[in-house]
Amino acid sequence: MPSKLNPRYALSFYLVDSNVVLNCEIDTMQLTLSETKNEIAQRVNIAMANTTVDGHLLSECIHPRDRVVVSADDGERDEVVFRGYVWSITYTNSRMKILQITAYDCLIYLMQTEDSRYYRSGLRSDQIILDICAAWGITGEYIYAAIAHRNLPMSGKVADMIVSVLDKVKARTKQKYIIRSVNEDMNIWRAGTNGEVFDLVRGYNVISTSSNVDMSKVVTSVAITSKADDNGYSAIERTVDGDTGKWGTLRRIVSGSAYQNDGTRSADRDRIYNSVDDEAYAILDEYGEPVHTFSCKAVDIPWVRKGDAVNVIAGDLSAKYLVTSIKHDAAAKTMELDLETLK
């Protein structure tokens, strides 16, 4: 029977060409659900024997863009945790005949589609992003801070366009965001604002933890350079310093030529910062100290997703943390989380 410490998953394929539904036995396969830091789409990886299900040989009937639905049951909740599309299929025919399938939720289309758009000055972040989504037939919910933008030409991957707008909001407001697919809508929320915060506690559901502190990205001094002369040389006009006494001098250069003579941003272009000094102080604020990151392996909780807050009391972790990436392993009944301190 499924329970909190023994959740069970179910997997179904909806075959587009034949309008057939295949319900597969989860105990005979490997199934993971992953959300990584650099992808907005949730991914499912499946490795299963090439068997016959309801009279259908899997390798012959499953095709790219067939639908995939994964649900989970912990004894109290029985809900869908993934809806998406078969994206790639690998069939290995050796001593064991194995079918490996990768599926993504609907946001994969935004990650692999390019566009070119222009937004006039005065539009807000939510207006821009929801318009991009509407252009690609995706409905969405925007529950996050928004700012007014100046003239904003954009081109490239649609997901990158959306992220670039949200990164400007994050830089101005200091609020982190999360993009996720929920019931095939794109939802944008402030990270760490989930209603139910799960507890991960040693002796109950935590298997292991680890922590890391790293100075690789530390910046303690920002040098502001002038416009390049005829020889291409940009002189350092001044520096803005952080805690050089504690961490030493680790310098980053910022070009002042991207701003007007008075140091403010050009009126006709949308920039993250209002002035070159704002940019320098923002760099010191974000990178002025070593980065602390954490990881945790625990008994699986199917409902935890990237961008959620979780309470962890195990090892040297004892606080509320933000999930920056996660992998649920249905066969092992475990989950692996990368975490950072929730500010």
Side-chain angles (χ1 to χ4, degrees):
M1 293 291 293
S3 66
K4 296 288 188 182
L5 297 178
N6 184 34
R8 293 183 61 83
Y9 287 81
L11 169 68
S12 297
F13 291 97
Y14 293 76
L15 309 183
V16 175
D17 291 342
S18 58
N19 199 30
V20 169
V21 179
L22 299 180
N23 298 310
C24 299
E25 179 57 53
I26 201 75
D27 293 333
T28 61
M29 69 177 69
Q30 295 177 350
L31 171 68
T32 61
L33 300 90
S34 303
E35 293 177 280
T36 63
K37 183 175 291 187
N38 297 319
E39 291 184 329
I40 66 171
Q42 187 181 23
R43 182 177 72 250
V44 164
N45 290 103
I46 305 162
M48 58 198 307
N50 184 33
T51 57
T52 299
V53 177
D54 297 334
H56 299 272
L57 184 63
L58 294 178
S59 63
E60 294 179 355
C61 66
I62 297 177
H63 305 292
R65 213 172 178 276
D66 282 338
R67 303 304 306 271
V68 179
V69 175
V70 180
S71 60
D73 183 354
D74 69 357
E76 294 182 7
R77 294 168 61 177
D78 187 353
E79 299 176 7
V80 171
V81 292
F82 175 86
R83 299 179 191 270
Y85 300 89
V86 173
W87 210 252
S88 69
I89 305 170
T90 301
Y91 176 46
T92 303
N93 189 347
S94 59
R95 185 176 63 85
M96 296 184 64
K97 298 174 175 58
I98 301 297
L99 201 62
Q100 294 176 297
I101 297 172
T102 300
Y104 289 92
D105 67 30
C106 64
L107 299 186
I108 188 63
Y109 279 93
L110 301 185
M111 291 174 57
Q112 298 197 0
T113 299
E114 295 186 351
D115 200 358
S116 182
R117 306 183 72 80
Y118 171 80
Y119 291 97
R120 59 176 171 78
S121 180
L123 291 177
R124 294 174 60 82
S125 316
D126 53 339
Q127 295 174 303
I128 293 170
I129 289 175
L130 292 177
D131 182 74
I132 294 173
C133 291
W136 289 97
I138 294 179
T139 55
E141 182 179 61
Y142 191 105
I143 307 177
Y144 179 58
I147 61 174
H149 296 265
R150 304 204 179 187
N151 296 329
L152 185 58
M154 294 187 292
S155 63
K157 301 289 187 184
V158 176
D160 292 340
M161 293 163 57
I162 292 171
V163 167
S164 70
V165 173
L166 293 174
D167 281 347
K168 292 177 181 179
V169 180
K170 184 179 74 170
R172 298 263 193 93
T173 65
K174 309 302 182 186
Q175 297 179 15
K176 295 182 179 180
Y177 62 87
I178 181 65
I179 306 171
R180 66 172 59 156
S181 173
V182 178
N183 295 325
E184 299 188 283
D185 290 339
M186 188 186 78
N187 290 359
I188 297 172
W189 300 325
R190 182 174 178 178
T193 58
N194 45 301
E196 184 175 12
V197 179
F198 290 98
D199 296 323
L200 306 180
V201 182
R202 64 174 171 267
Y204 174 63
N205 56 0
V206 170
I207 299 169
S208 63
T209 62
S210 66
S211 60
N212 174 264
V213 57
D214 187 2
M215 282 191 60
S216 298
K217 296 183 179 181
V218 171
V219 177
T220 59
S221 179
V222 178
I224 299 171
T225 62
S226 63
K227 183 178 180 180
D229 62 20
D230 293 339
N231 296 317
Y233 171 65
S234 298
I236 294 176
E237 294 184 329
R238 66 184 188 279
T239 62
V240 179
D241 293 329
D243 198 347
T244 55
K246 185 174 183 179
W247 305 115
T249 300
L250 296 163
R251 177 175 290 173
R252 181 181 295 185
I253 289 178
V254 171
S255 174
S257 64
Y259 297 84
Q260 299 181 115
N261 292 335
D262 61 357
T264 61
R265 64 178 180 174
S266 173
D268 63 344
R269 293 184 60 189
D270 191 62
R271 300 187 186 280
I272 295 178
Y273 306 103
N274 289 318
S275 70
V276 66
D277 288 309
D278 285 349
E279 182 175 355
Y281 284 114
I283 291 171
L284 294 175
D285 182 60
E286 183 170 358
Y287 300 104
E289 295 183 347
V291 174
H292 293 260
T293 56
F294 312 90
S295 63
C296 178
K297 184 175 182 179
V299 174
D300 190 29
I301 302 174
W303 328 117
V304 178
R305 295 195 61 177
K306 182 179 77 170
D308 283 350
V310 292
N311 294 316
V312 185
I313 303 175
D316 59 347
L317 282 67
S318 181
K320 183 178 286 188
Y321 298 89
L322 182 68
V323 179
T324 58
S325 68
I326 186 168
K327 182 172 76 172
H328 300 272
D329 189 324
K333 303 184 188 302
T334 61
M335 61 179 181
E336 297 178 8
L337 308 89
D338 290 328
L339 307 165
E340 62 183 36
T341 304
L342 187 61
K343 299 179 181 179

